[in-house]
Amino acid sequence: MHRRFFVAALFAASALHPGLAQEPTATPAAVAAPPADAPAYDVVVYSGVPCGVAASVAAAREGAKTLLIEPTKEVGGLNTSGLNTAETEHMLKWTFGGVAQEAYQRMGWEYGRWNPVYYFESKVAAKVFHTMLDEAKVQVKYGVRVDKVEKEGTTIKSITLSDGSKITAKTFVDAGYEGDLMARSGVSYTWGRESIEEYGESLAGIRLDKTPRKAATVDEKGNLLPGISGWAKDVTEGAADKKVMNYNWRLCLSNDPEQSVPFPQPRQYDRARYKVLENWIKEKTAANEPVKLLDIIDLYSHAPGRKDKKEVNNKQAAVISVGHFGGQFDYPDGDYVTRDRIVADHTDYTVGMFHFLATDETVPETLRTETKQWGLAKDEFTNNDHWPYQPYVREARRMKGLYVVTQKDITEDRRKPDSIAMGSHFIDSHHVQRLALSPTEFVNEGRIWEEGQVYQIPFRAIQPKAEECTNLLVPGAASFSHVAFCTYRLESTWMKTGHAAGVAAARAALWNKTVQDLIIVNLQERLRDQGQVIDFIEGQPEKFVKEQKKAVKK
């Protein structure tokens, strides 16, 4: 217990180390009394995902008056909505530091451990995030979205929220998955996939799996079945499009009757949506092959000490799973009405699938019985009917900022002079869509799975172009190509970049600077002093390969 308080004190002392927040060419705005029309906040962070939590905590620890705006009823993004891993199983742990590593250390304390934990429960992540926000005295505003942005030249003067309130600040940070503040600020962005030719990326564009799947793709009239987006003959491999990888709900389930509640009944059940699944089950049954729930979904054990509690994810190898292929296409640049409709549709799809597996007569009794054993975990999302607060938006908008990080930056030119954090995850894109090859075969499209290398994330990747906006940082929908974004889109990596964004935003606000005019060596010095890893370390591996896996897990 004494060690716990000692380590916590070290974190606090590091955050308040004197002198390092200074920009030597400027005079701090805090010296003079603020004018009557001064902004209400130094820093406003939009979206309380892990990236936003890290940014808010880091900014507040620098002495900035900080507001965090969270559109849902809970902070923590997917880490408090069912994605309960730092994903270190595919990363190099030596790249972790700063606020991110502190959060995992605090989660370890919650489980009575001295060391950080990288697998945890949503409720534990929520407790840690709330504690860190409270200790840093970050104000949090829940349940509102950004509606409008008022700018004066290249400077955001205020943002108007969906409840009509107007928020003023010196510097803003968009930490969200969707980049909504960024988009409304007149900053250039894109979504979907670039072609191979655009940045010379071998992994870019449309990518057809090499292995076809045997399953009916059309109905008796020749119309494509639900979940089949089109015909493979109509697409060109390597070409650009405006489609993103699939989304799904990361449910928390339990098969202990004392620890679970029943699945909700479908609100709008359309049995036809599961025709591909039905046909596949019929073929397996006819061949006397057993069908198990794990053939359809992935169930992860990420809750320490809880064998009954599992986390649900889309199963890449399944014919059909909880990934709602095609349901995500209009989400990235959609308005809020469109987004709400898509989220509701993902809920209907997911609840309907479990209902189909548990009750439909075409499903073998053994699979129906197995499905019925599972319910929603009773101890998670207790103020939201035990359903996660938001779906897994793997990819949406991406800024086109001062520098676009591409495949070459994560595989070859991995060192950057303006490094603010380190990435190391696999290049990981889930499938985007199913395309029919014939009436009896389809092929999945969009998958990328390449072993990762350590690379430095440049400050330029979270900075808009100066002619577009000078008091906004975008560590969420950062300036990456689709291929490079597939290594960046991890909550742990986002937290690292969020930490850097928070410190930078505070410095810009307190020293009356634009985000483009910050002195990078001073920012880097401050980050290093806070334990953020921004440099390659001699002797540490730079590539995640299979023979290193055991060492990485230690």
Side-chain angles (χ1 to χ4, degrees):
M1 185 63 69
H2 292 298
R3 176 178 172 84
R4 172 173 176 172
F5 286 119
F6 174 71
V7 175
L10 283 180
F11 282 133
S14 172
L16 297 175
H17 190 284
L20 291 176
Q22 295 181 8
E23 288 287 318
T25 61
T27 301
V31 170
D37 60 348
Y41 297 94
D42 296 312
V43 175
V44 164
V45 178
Y46 186 75
S47 187
V49 297
C51 178
V53 171
S56 301
V57 168
R61 286 176 176 177
E62 294 296 295
K65 184 179 180 182
T66 304
L67 172 69
L68 174 61
I69 300 169
E70 169 49 45
T72 73
K73 63 173 70 173
E74 180 60 280
V75 297
L78 263 291
N79 279 167
T80 56
S81 281
L83 198 165
N84 300 147
T85 171
E87 313 234 24
T88 50
E89 64 269 29
H90 301 126
M91 303 175 79
L92 291 164
K93 287 182 184 175
W94 71 261
T95 64
F96 283 58
V99 173
Q101 185 74 339
E102 176 186 345
Y104 302 127
Q105 175 64 74
R106 286 172 178 256
M107 291 180 199
W109 292 336
E110 294 297 327
Y111 290 110
R113 302 180 184 182
W114 295 120
N115 297 323
V117 297
Y118 301 105
Y119 298 97
F120 45 83
E121 295 164 279
S122 286
K123 64 181 183 181
V124 172
K127 182 178 180 181
V128 166
F129 290 150
H130 280 288
T131 298
M132 294 176 73
L133 290 167
D134 290 344
E135 288 177 357
K137 296 181 170 52
V138 174
Q139 298 180 41
V140 185
K141 188 174 177 68
Y142 292 95
V144 288
R145 293 159 156 168
V146 58
D147 185 18
K148 293 182 293 187
V149 173
E150 180 185 349
K151 289 176 71 179
E152 185 177 288
T154 60
T155 303
I156 299 173
K157 303 302 291 185
S158 69
I159 62 174
T160 301
L161 303 177
S162 53
D163 64 355
S165 60
K166 182 176 283 192
I167 306 295
T168 59
K170 295 179 181 177
T171 310
F172 294 83
V173 176
D174 188 343
Y177 303 131
E178 298 87 357
D180 286 334
L181 176 57
M182 171 198 70
R184 285 162 176 77
S185 300
V187 171
S188 299
Y189 64 88
T190 187
W191 70 96
R193 298 176 285 183
E194 296 87 0
S195 67
I196 288 176
E197 292 77 17
E198 183 163 351
Y199 295 120
E201 298 175 300
S202 62
L203 301 175
I206 294 170
R207 296 171 55 85
L208 299 174
D209 279 9
K210 291 180 170 52
T211 305
R213 305 299 181 99
K214 292 284 187 182
T217 60
V218 298
D219 61 20
E220 55 277 3
K221 296 180 180 180
N223 298 316
L224 291 173
L225 294 174
I228 307 292
S229 299
W231 292 90
K233 63 181 176 59
D234 295 328
V235 305
T236 302
E237 288 208 63
D241 69 7
K242 284 296 186 182
K243 297 181 174 68
V244 296
M245 63 185 97
N246 74 81
Y247 304 162
N248 61 266
W249 287 103
R250 295 290 289 251
L251 304 178
C252 286
L253 305 183
S254 174
N255 60 1
D256 182 346
E258 298 297 320
Q259 300 291 338
S260 64
V261 298
F263 256 89
Q265 289 299 305
R267 187 185 57 133
Q268 295 186 24
Y269 180 61
D270 181 1
R271 185 181 180 279
R273 303 182 84 166
Y274 313 104
K275 192 67 176 176
V276 170
L277 178 58
E278 177 189 352
N279 291 342
W280 176 76
I281 288 174
K282 285 180 177 178
E283 290 178 8
K284 297 281 282 186
T285 303
N288 290 319
E289 297 179 17
V291 183
K292 299 178 181 179
L293 189 60
L294 285 177
D295 294 328
I296 301 166
I297 63 173
D298 274 332
L299 290 173
Y300 302 149
S301 297
H302 286 166
R306 288 283 299 277
K307 293 183 179 180
D308 67 292
K309 194 174 182 181
K310 305 290 183 181
E311 172 191 340
V312 175
N313 195 16
N314 177 58
K315 191 176 187 72
Q316 297 281 6
V319 168
I320 186 171
S321 190
V322 290
H324 185 8
F325 288 25
Q328 79 279 20
F329 291 163
D330 293 333
Y331 186 93
D333 206 37
D335 60 24
Y336 293 139
V337 173
T338 300
R339 298 254 195 88
D340 289 344
R341 173 181 57 76
I342 290 171
V343 171
D345 182 54
H346 275 69
T347 303
D348 291 339
Y349 172 82
T350 306
V351 174
M353 172 176 282
F354 279 92
H355 180 77
F356 174 84
L357 292 171
T359 65
D360 199 277
E361 293 182 356
T362 63
V363 177
E365 185 176 353
T366 53
L367 179 54
R368 278 183 276 157
T369 299
E370 183 184 8
T371 304
K372 289 176 184 176
Q373 292 175 355
W374 294 97
L376 302 178
K378 184 186 292 186
D379 60 343
E380 294 289 3
F381 327 124
T382 55
N383 62 346
N384 204 50
D385 296 326
H386 309 286
W387 194 265
Y389 303 102
Q390 53 187 294
Y392 193 179
V393 175
R394 292 185 168 91
E395 174 187 26
R397 297 186 182 105
R398 302 187 307 278
M399 179 173 66
K400 299 180 79 169
L402 279 181
Y403 186 85
V404 179
V405 178
T406 68
Q407 181 178 334
K408 187 176 182 180
D409 295 298
I410 60 175
T411 59
E412 298 175 42
D413 298 338
R414 296 178 289 114
R415 286 160 167 78
K416 295 290 182 286
D418 57 336
S419 172
I420 54 170
M422 310 288 280
S424 68
H425 196 269
F426 278 38
I427 308 172
D428 178 16
S429 175
H430 280 234
H431 289 116
V432 173
Q433 58 188 334
R434 297 183 191 90
L435 297 171
L437 290 169
S438 72
T440 58
E441 278 188 322
F442 72 86
V443 64
N444 284 330
E445 188 278 313
R447 179 71 168 139
I448 308 174
W449 183 247
E450 298 281 341
E451 287 184 344
Q453 299 186 63
V454 178
Y455 63 96
Q456 292 177 314
I457 299 169
F459 188 36
R460 290 164 291 166
I462 70 171
Q463 292 174 295
K465 298 167 187 172
E467 63 268 25
E468 294 181 345
C469 195
T470 51
N471 65 334
L472 172 69
L473 292 168
V474 186
S479 186
F480 283 64
S481 70
H482 163 73
V483 173
F485 195 79
C486 293
T487 75
Y488 180 72
R489 60 173 194 86
L490 293 305
E491 303 294 359
S492 52
T493 305
W494 266 320
M495 285 183 74
K496 299 175 194 176
T497 319
H499 176 171
V503 173
R507 295 173 79 94
L510 296 175
W511 294 87
N512 285 329
K513 282 181 169 285
T514 72
V515 297
Q516 290 85 6
D517 286 338
L518 290 171
I519 301 172
I520 185 60
V521 292
N522 291 354
L523 174 61
Q524 290 173 321
E525 180 186 7
R526 181 60 170 155
L527 292 173
R528 290 188 186 101
D529 217 62
Q530 294 174 334
Q532 176 91 323
V533 179
I534 66 173
D535 304 300
F536 284 88
I537 299 175
E538 187 176 354
Q540 291 289 359
E542 294 186 16
K543 185 174 182 179
F544 189 104
V545 293
K546 292 177 182 177
E547 55 266 28
Q548 293 171 346
K549 192 169 184 178
K550 290 182 180 179
V552 169
K553 284 187 174 181
K554 289 182 180 178

